[in-house]
Amino acid sequence: MREFEYAAPRTVKEAVALLARANGDARCLAGGTDLIAQMKEGRRSPSLIVDIKRIPDLMRLDYVERRGLRLGAGVPCSTIYEHPVVREKYPIIVDACSLVGSLQIQNRASVGGNLCNGAPSADTAPAFLALNATAVVAGPRGRRQLPLTEFFVGPGKTALAPGELLVEIIVPPPPARSAGNYLRFIPRNEMDIAVAGVGSVVVLGAKGVCKDARIALASVAPVPLRAHEAEERLRGRPLDAEAIREAGALAAAACKPISDVRGSADYRRHLVNVLTQRTLYACLKQLGVTGES
Amino acid sequence: MTVNGERYELLVDSRQTLLDALREGLSLYGTKEGCGNGNCGSCTVLLDDKPVDSCLVFALEADGHKVTTVEGLAKDGRLHPVQQSFMEHGSLQCGFCTPGFLVSAKALLDRNPNPTEHEVRLAIAGNLCRCTGYDKIVRAVMDAAAQGRGQRTAG
Ligand SMILES: Cc1cc2nc3c(=O)[nH]c(=O)nc-3n(C[C@H](O)[C@H](O)[C@H](O)COP(=O)(O)OP(=O)(O)OC[C@H]3O[C@@H](n4cnc5c(N)ncnc54)[C@H](O)[C@@H]3O)c2cc1C
Ligand code: FES
Ligand code: FES
């Protein structure tokens, strides 16, 4: 590992100044579960590491009735899924965060790091995409907000400009009669990279009609993405078996998977179809509507 | 940092992991390095009472924090119940993975003194063992939990 400088600033402003000074050769350090592993392998060798865990803004987790959830980029997964408000209002975040690696990993790994690492397989990405989350980013020219759908640019690439860091993720308050679920497929029970992952959020209107649906996919395209056509097909319709079957097929059509050691492209498309249907049924179950499965 | 209740000041290279600092800096060789990348859990320690893989933590990050290693489990010459239980159940063969399992198990029992078998298996899912087949480990943890309950009711 190449030698590097280490800094643990106390404010976002200091962090931005440090990143600016390093001319793109610095990296933020949250839980380090991706970064330290990458540095050991020699895949990354920054000259400066900016540990963000001592910045209060990045370690905050709070919920405000009108604005929703503000999730600091550095908060570890276990703190998130143990939080009573998250458990009550955002079951899909609990699903996703409790899947990231082992307990040892979850005690360090942050959602910010998961998103900023930019892996197509990032398990928290579909959950936050389906929740219509917004990323708050700070940089030399101040703060900006962007919808999470614009955050992923390519494998390992995000919309963060050099010198920018992710401060927090804002998730709108859950609408009445909404539910969410994230499922992934891996070849073993714990600790593996998703072959496919699907997160769905459903909002029900009167008479079981679907008011809104958001479906997001991981591991099946160069970036995590939303399956817009599948969502469209559900809106304004009763969420019955036929609608759910069609949504599954449309979600499968929306992805652009590769074939690799974990699974062929066809297998992945099939998984997306099945997982999409299962997440939708899980949402109905959460809402107390008995769907067949 | 505070390790097993004692305060230490340590000069470290920025590249040193917490694992390196414990082994090389403090000669605490209980914590083992298996994979070095977060997969095997043999380097598990408690950082502020939570299990983490010390191979994926820079020593500098632990500045001002509390660390517990397997050496910190026994108190006043008495083994921690989960250590005792591992011995009684023969839950180790080569023993390389054992410190990591003990630390993970202690953290579980501190948080949840009455775990189900499923909860035990989840808590140690980040620890790999190439020898035992896990069953004896799970039984030892369940038994340590049961004995802890017995002691509490008795006392
Ligand atoms: C054994 C093991 C199992 C794993 N299992 C899973 C899994 O099941 N699912 C999964 O999705 N991932 C998994 N991972 C990957 C990893 O744990 C996650 O991606 C994790 O969420 C990364 O978070 P972190 O806080 O550790 O990030 P770090 O390693 O600290 O950072 C990751 C990247 O993001 C950058 N970064 C971090 N924070 C910010 C910020 N605020 N602003 C700008 N850039 C930032 C860093 O510079 C770095 O490039 C696993 C890793 C290991 C080692
Ligand atoms: S050595 Fe740290 S997890 Fe394997
Ligand atoms: S006893 Fe040998 S690895 Fe577990």
Side-chain angles (χ1 to χ4, degrees):
Chain A
M1 205 187 289
R2 175 182 149 199
E3 202 154 359
F4 59 87
E5 255 185 274
Y6 171 92
R10 305 280 165 159
T11 65
V12 171
K13 218 172 132 192
E14 273 177 73
V16 169
L18 283 161
L19 293 173
R21 216 186 59 198
N23 268 328
D25 197 21
R27 302 248 22 131
C28 289
L29 172 73
T33 60
D34 278 318
L35 184 61
I36 299 179
Q38 289 161 1
M39 287 169 69
K40 285 186 172 185
E41 287 168 21
R43 280 199 286 149
R44 281 196 196 285
S45 42
S47 63
L48 170 70
I49 292 285
V50 180
D51 186 348
I52 56 158
K53 291 187 292 297
R54 294 184 199 245
I55 307 174
D57 269 2
L58 278 89
M59 300 309 283
R60 162 165 59 204
L61 201 188
D62 60 30
Y63 183 81
V64 184
E65 237 14 273
R66 286 205 0 252
R67 197 157 170 226
L69 184 74
R70 287 197 305 177
L71 177 57
V75 182
C77 286
S78 59
T79 306
I80 300 168
Y81 65 65
E82 280 167 7
H83 196 280
V85 173
V86 175
R87 297 193 80 86
E88 182 202 325
K89 295 187 186 285
Y90 302 101
I92 187 172
I93 298 182
V94 176
D95 294 338
C97 287
S98 30
L99 284 175
V100 176
S102 61
L103 191 55
Q104 288 96 318
I105 299 287
Q106 288 157 18
N107 284 333
R108 299 294 285 172
S110 64
V111 166
N114 195 235
L115 302 176
C116 291
N117 193 49
S121 58
D123 275 311
T124 69
F128 288 93
L129 283 172
L131 288 166
N132 276 340
T134 302
V136 180
V137 169
R141 269 169 280 142
R143 292 196 182 203
R144 63 185 177 111
Q145 292 199 3
L146 70 164
L148 202 61
T149 43
E150 292 169 19
F151 192 76
F152 305 106
V153 178
K157 292 207 183 71
T158 68
L160 288 176
E164 281 188 321
L165 71 133
L166 180 63
V167 176
E168 63 185 9
I169 297 132
I170 300 178
V171 187
R177 299 204 73 205
S178 65
N181 179 243
Y182 175 73
L183 288 176
R184 71 171 180 189
F185 180 82
I186 56 173
R188 52 182 287 220
N189 280 338
E190 308 293 334
M191 300 260 297
D192 211 336
I193 300 171
V195 184
V198 178
S200 297
V201 166
V202 158
V203 188
L204 278 192
K207 292 184 192 139
V209 166
C210 172
K211 212 160 134 188
D212 193 11
R214 273 112 53 178
I215 300 169
L217 319 174
S219 265
V220 290
V223 292
L225 75 167
R226 290 268 295 265
H228 292 293
E229 284 176 17
E231 298 175 352
E232 257 334 297
R233 185 66 62 96
L234 293 175
R235 283 189 195 116
R237 281 178 63 183
L239 266 181
D240 53 23
E242 193 196 331
I244 289 177
R245 238 187 340 264
E246 286 178 29
L250 283 170
C255 58
K256 303 171 201 70
I258 53 164
S259 294
D260 68 7
V261 287
R262 291 172 190 280
S264 67
D266 276 347
Y267 184 48
R268 285 192 155 97
R269 268 189 287 269
H270 176 69
L271 284 170
V272 167
N273 185 336
V274 173
L275 292 175
T276 300
Q277 298 194 44
R278 285 193 190 162
T279 54
L280 292 171
Y281 280 115
C283 288
L284 288 179
K285 201 168 159 202
Q286 264 176 47
L287 288 162
V289 184
T290 41
E292 55 180 293
S293 187
Chain B
M1 60 181 171
T2 307
V3 182
N4 301 331
E6 278 186 53
R7 287 187 51 92
Y8 291 93
E9 257 183 56
L10 210 60
L11 194 64
V12 297
D13 181 307
S14 60
R15 289 167 291 190
Q16 260 188 317
T17 60
L18 177 58
L19 172 67
D20 298 335
L22 291 169
R23 289 179 60 90
E24 289 153 29
L26 300 179
S27 302
L28 291 168
Y29 297 112
T31 310
K32 305 282 185 256
E33 171 156 20
C35 63
N37 59 24
N39 275 294
C40 75
S42 63
C43 65
T44 304
V45 301
L46 304 183
L47 185 59
D48 296 330
D49 299 322
K50 291 190 171 157
V52 303
D53 296 316
S54 60
C55 69
L56 292 185
V57 177
F58 285 124
L60 285 165
E61 293 180 85
D63 183 20
H65 292 277
K66 177 182 149 193
V67 179
T68 308
T69 69
V70 69
E71 287 92 347
L73 261 50
K75 286 269 142 50
D76 307 321
R78 287 191 50 189
L79 292 181
H80 186 276
V82 60
Q83 291 175 307
Q84 189 67 39
S85 185
F86 261 58
M87 268 173 42
E88 283 160 13
H89 286 267
S91 306
L92 57 147
Q93 287 180 28
C94 79
F96 192 83
C97 67
T98 311
F101 273 100
L102 291 172
V103 171
S104 285
K106 175 203 154 39
L108 168 70
L109 298 184
D110 285 349
R111 182 169 83 239
N112 176 2
N114 189 13
T116 62
E117 183 179 328
H118 180 68
E119 285 166 340
V120 171
R121 288 188 184 270
L122 264 185
I124 59 172
N127 294 81
L128 298 186
C129 174
R130 299 191 64 172
C131 310
T132 65
Y134 302 100
D135 270 339
K136 290 186 172 180
I137 294 175
V138 172
R139 255 179 276 153
V141 180
M142 297 291 292
D143 199 38
Q147 295 202 4
R149 283 195 297 286
Q151 272 167 19
R152 256 187 297 282
T153 356

